[in-house]
Amino acid sequence: MLTIPQICELFERGGHQMYSGEPVNQLEHALQSATLAEQAGAQPELVCAALLHDLGHLLNPQGETPSARGVDDTHQYFAIPYLRGSFGPAVLEPIRLHVDAKRYLCATDAGYWSRLSEDSKRSLELQGGVFSAADAAQFIARPYAADAVSLRLWDDQAKMEGMATPGLPHFSTLMSACALVTA
């Protein structure tokens, strides 16, 4: 189980790595995602999920743009065991479901796929492709699926070079407020 100081250390140590094919690094992407969630008035747990949704990339680095090499890094699952015990399902489930939320949005929003970055389009195929109508209906009925869809939309927008955001200390305080235990 990662503590909040350990999570912050991960971001400080590996957050400078570029976010696959995008004009932002891992830390900027995380801060932008959380900022967009906060600006939208999301519950603190969902803001926390937005901050941590791609932590699996830092815990299991696969090099530059793994999707270009045909690798699905399953980052949405990789971080969960490290975060379980620190955070509850309102944080963990949107993280776990945010890739399936992309598959859902591609199935239910006619223009969504065309708005995806090239890397997101490539990784979509590695992640199972667009949901069928039945799979989309089954997905959105799951607990926390709607939160995962919101997270996914912020994730898609959080690739803006030079966007002003609060720093990691701001969100560290928020993580502490959402934590199951404090350390």
Side-chain angles (χ1 to χ4, degrees):
M1 173 178 88
L2 288 173
T3 64
I4 291 165
Q6 289 170 328
I7 291 168
C8 291
E9 183 181 323
L10 266 173
F11 277 122
E12 290 165 3
R13 197 175 59 235
H16 67 279
Q17 298 167 18
M18 292 307 289
Y19 187 79
S20 293
E22 305 296 346
V24 295
N25 64 36
Q26 294 285 340
L27 178 59
E28 291 167 331
H29 177 67
L31 294 174
Q32 287 182 21
S33 296
T35 298
L36 291 166
E38 201 169 57
Q39 290 172 348
Q43 292 295 313
E45 292 81 6
L46 187 53
V47 176
C48 189
L51 179 73
L52 300 175
H53 76 278
D54 280 345
L55 196 66
H57 291 308
L58 297 178
L59 290 165
N60 183 29
Q62 296 291 311
E64 183 74 22
T65 317
S67 67
R69 298 187 317 273
V71 174
D72 176 11
D73 65 3
T74 63
H75 70 283
Q76 71 273 28
Y77 305 122
F78 199 86
I80 300 299
Y82 293 91
L83 297 173
R84 190 176 291 122
S86 294
F87 300 102
V91 174
L92 300 179
E93 287 302 295
I95 293 170
R96 189 174 67 79
L97 297 172
H98 82 278
V99 167
D100 282 347
K102 175 172 62 169
R103 300 175 69 199
Y104 167 81
L105 284 163
C106 285
T108 60
D109 177 345
Y112 180 77
W113 184 87
S114 65
R115 294 189 304 269
L116 290 174
S117 70
E118 289 307 308
D119 189 59
S120 284
K121 289 175 183 174
R122 193 172 38 245
S123 65
L124 172 68
E125 296 310 313
L126 297 169
Q127 294 159 339
V130 177
F131 273 153
S132 68
D135 289 339
Q138 189 174 27
F139 167 79
I140 202 60
R142 299 179 72 174
Y144 301 103
D147 285 346
V149 169
S150 295
L151 170 53
R152 182 69 219 184
L153 294 170
W154 299 317
D155 179 8
D156 292 331
Q157 295 172 40
K159 300 170 184 175
M160 296 177 269
E161 191 172 5
M163 178 182 165
T165 66
L168 195 54
H170 170 79
F171 293 109
S172 176
T173 301
L174 178 108
M175 284 189 287
S176 294
C178 294
L180 297 174
V181 293
T182 55

